[in-house]
Amino acid sequence: MLRPGRGAGGWLSSSDWLWLLLRGTFGSTGRNHTWAWNVGFLLLISAAHHNLPSTTTSFLFFPTHATFFTSPAPSSSPAVPHSSPAAPQSTPAPLPIVEVSLPAKEGSSEKSVTMTDAQVYKVLLASAILIFWSGFWVVHLIGIIYGYRRLHQRRALSVESGDQGVLGVSVLKPLVGTPMDPNLMTNLETFFTLNYPKFELLFCVQEEGDPSIMIVQQLMKKHPHVDASCFIGGLEVGVNPKINNMQPGYLAAKHELLLVSDSGLLMKEDTLTDMVAHMTPDVGIVHQMPFTCDRKGWPAILEKVYFGTGHARMYLFLGLLDALGFGVNCCTGMSCLMRKKVLDEAGGISAFGIYLAEDYFFAKYIQDRGWGIRIASQPAWQNAGICRVKTFLSRLTRMGLLPLASLSL
């Protein structure tokens, strides 16, 4: 496949490059980044070929047999004429001669050829590609291993003996019913059926005419045994609308732990139990890895692929770095269990109203005070009924810009 040639990258023909690029691009599953390794490796070969030192030794190259032969040295004795007439013979076609460089002999006056600027750039580019490719797969493998150990090792919490000795949880649910989510009632009802002995639900709605208020009231009548309250109006304490909406509920919270949970999440019966079980004495925040429920339509498939592949890989990798004590902050605000007393020391959640990315600064504040951050065994099941590609892309853009916007305040 490899053929000698001249010029930049001449060691490889155009068909060689095309074959390797297509092989890496359309290869089998699990080889999405094979092209990076191929390109980097071939660039190194090309650079090494063009940097071979020069020599005066010549060789004959026969393309049909792919074999090298040395050309015979000229004889020092004079030629002896032939006495008989030569028979007529066909003249063979001249053989192509290819100059191949060999290392110059020691003591020779010839100097080796130095690398050109193009070859230096080629080596640097190839090295960068290979480093990126290797680093990517290291992160990928670490994410898979840590995800297997973290997401499949649930911790048990003894709740059969009642609420004595069990940490209470105040669940803050900020709601916005415009546009109305068709899955809102299904999602909210899963919080009423949590298998946990000591918790309260604090629903926060900004506008008085919000249609989600009626859904909350219906669920409160259906589950009268659950400690639930609804707060309407909010309090303006900063530029963050989510903090403004949750402020009345936070002031009414009465338990040691505070769970901030978005309206589009679906909870399993043991999800809260699993999160509290990870709240060990040295941990200040327990958060869930974002994931999605099975829903119909192309936008839902797009979200599930994203949150189950690229996003999950980095989320788990950064979570492991934080668990190892590197102080990495990867906490998401869609489902975040925190120690309320630590937030009270900062002045409550109103102190974070000046930031748009409140989840990042929640985690940063608690982490700076020596508390750890852990990922729960169960993911955050996103189950919003409204799912569009445009909305998903806007959400990704907002997720990338919110930390920068908060830092600039």
Side-chain angles (χ1 to χ4, degrees):
M1 198 68 181
L2 301 177
R3 306 182 182 92
R6 300 182 182 277
W11 179 256
L12 301 167
S13 67
S14 58
S15 60
D16 295 327
W17 286 98
L18 180 61
W19 176 80
L20 286 166
L21 288 174
L22 291 177
R23 177 179 177 271
T25 305
F26 302 103
S28 59
T29 304
R31 299 181 180 179
N32 296 333
H33 297 268
T34 305
W35 66 269
W37 189 92
N38 287 335
V39 173
F41 182 71
L42 293 178
L43 285 173
L44 285 177
I45 292 178
S46 180
H49 167 71
H50 287 287
N51 193 41
L52 290 174
S54 63
T55 182
T56 56
T57 307
S58 299
F59 291 87
L60 292 181
F61 177 68
F62 295 86
T64 55
H65 301 288
T67 307
F68 288 93
F69 297 92
T70 55
S71 55
S75 176
S76 58
S77 60
V80 179
H82 202 280
S83 58
S84 60
Q89 296 180 355
S90 59
T91 304
L95 297 174
I97 298 178
V98 178
E99 295 287 339
V100 178
S101 300
L102 294 178
K105 293 183 179 180
E106 196 172 329
S108 173
S109 60
E110 298 184 10
K111 298 181 180 180
S112 60
V113 179
T114 58
M115 295 179 66
T116 63
D117 292 342
Q119 294 164 0
V120 171
Y121 294 146
K122 189 183 298 181
V123 171
L124 293 177
L125 177 60
S127 302
I129 292 175
L130 292 177
I131 292 173
F132 167 79
W133 181 86
S134 302
F136 173 86
W137 278 105
V138 168
V139 173
H140 185 75
L141 293 176
I142 291 177
I144 291 176
I145 296 172
Y146 184 66
Y148 174 78
R149 296 183 60 85
R150 170 59 60 175
L151 301 180
H152 292 77
Q153 298 291 332
R154 298 184 180 182
R155 296 187 180 182
L157 182 67
S158 177
V159 296
E160 290 81 5
S161 59
D163 59 359
Q164 294 183 354
V166 177
L167 295 176
V169 181
S170 298
V171 182
L172 277 178
K173 294 290 296 183
L175 303 178
V176 178
T178 305
M180 188 64 182
D181 186 352
N183 293 346
L184 183 61
M185 176 171 282
T186 301
N187 295 334
L188 294 184
E189 190 167 13
T190 60
F191 287 83
F192 284 88
T193 58
L194 290 172
N195 183 20
Y196 194 79
K198 192 177 179 181
F199 72 97
E200 64 175 341
L201 301 177
L202 307 173
F203 298 97
C204 304
V205 185
Q206 187 70 34
E207 303 294 336
E208 292 186 2
D210 198 301
S212 61
I213 298 176
M214 182 177 60
I215 295 178
V216 172
Q217 293 174 348
Q218 292 176 359
L219 292 174
M220 291 173 63
K221 292 180 180 179
K222 184 178 179 180
H223 304 275
H225 61 283
V226 178
D227 185 3
S229 304
C230 185
F231 302 89
I232 303 173
L235 290 175
E236 186 174 352
V237 295
V239 298
N240 190 317
K242 185 177 180 180
I243 295 292
N244 295 338
N245 190 13
M246 295 189 301
Q247 180 63 17
Y250 179 83
L251 296 176
K254 56 188 178 185
H255 292 306
E256 302 93 327
L257 301 179
L258 183 74
L259 173 63
V260 177
S261 179
D262 288 354
S263 61
L265 293 184
L266 182 145
M267 298 280 275
K268 296 183 178 181
E269 291 185 356
D270 61 339
T271 300
L272 187 56
T273 302
D274 176 75
M275 296 184 72
V276 176
H278 285 83
M279 186 66 77
T280 56
D282 61 333
V283 174
I285 290 183
V286 176
H287 57 107
Q288 293 181 283
M289 184 192 76
F291 198 49
T292 61
C293 296
D294 292 332
R295 295 167 295 172
K296 295 182 180 180
W298 163 249
I301 296 175
L302 181 64
E303 287 190 7
K304 196 173 188 69
V305 170
Y306 171 74
F307 284 106
T309 54
H311 188 272
R313 174 176 55 240
M314 292 306 302
Y315 202 89
L316 292 170
F317 176 72
L318 296 177
L320 175 60
L321 293 182
D322 179 74
L324 295 177
F326 287 93
V328 178
N329 182 357
C330 65
C331 183
T332 180
M334 69 174 59
S335 183
C336 183
L337 182 67
M338 299 173 285
R339 295 187 180 271
K340 187 173 181 293
K341 68 175 183 179
V342 183
L343 295 177
D344 289 339
E345 294 173 359
I349 63 173
S350 60
F352 302 90
I354 60 175
Y355 306 113
L356 295 178
E358 79 288 340
D359 50 356
Y360 171 82
F361 289 98
F362 281 155
K364 185 178 185 301
Y365 176 81
I366 295 176
Q367 191 178 50
D368 290 343
R369 274 141 190 81
W371 297 92
I373 301 177
R374 296 296 182 270
I375 299 177
S377 298
Q378 295 188 27
W381 297 96
Q382 303 176 81
N383 190 41
I386 301 175
C387 188
R388 301 186 181 95
V389 174
K390 182 179 180 181
T391 305
F392 172 66
L393 296 178
S394 300
R395 180 184 175 190
L396 294 184
T397 303
R398 185 172 64 255
M399 290 169 61
L401 295 179
L402 275 178
L404 298 178
S406 299
L407 290 173
S408 64
L409 295 176

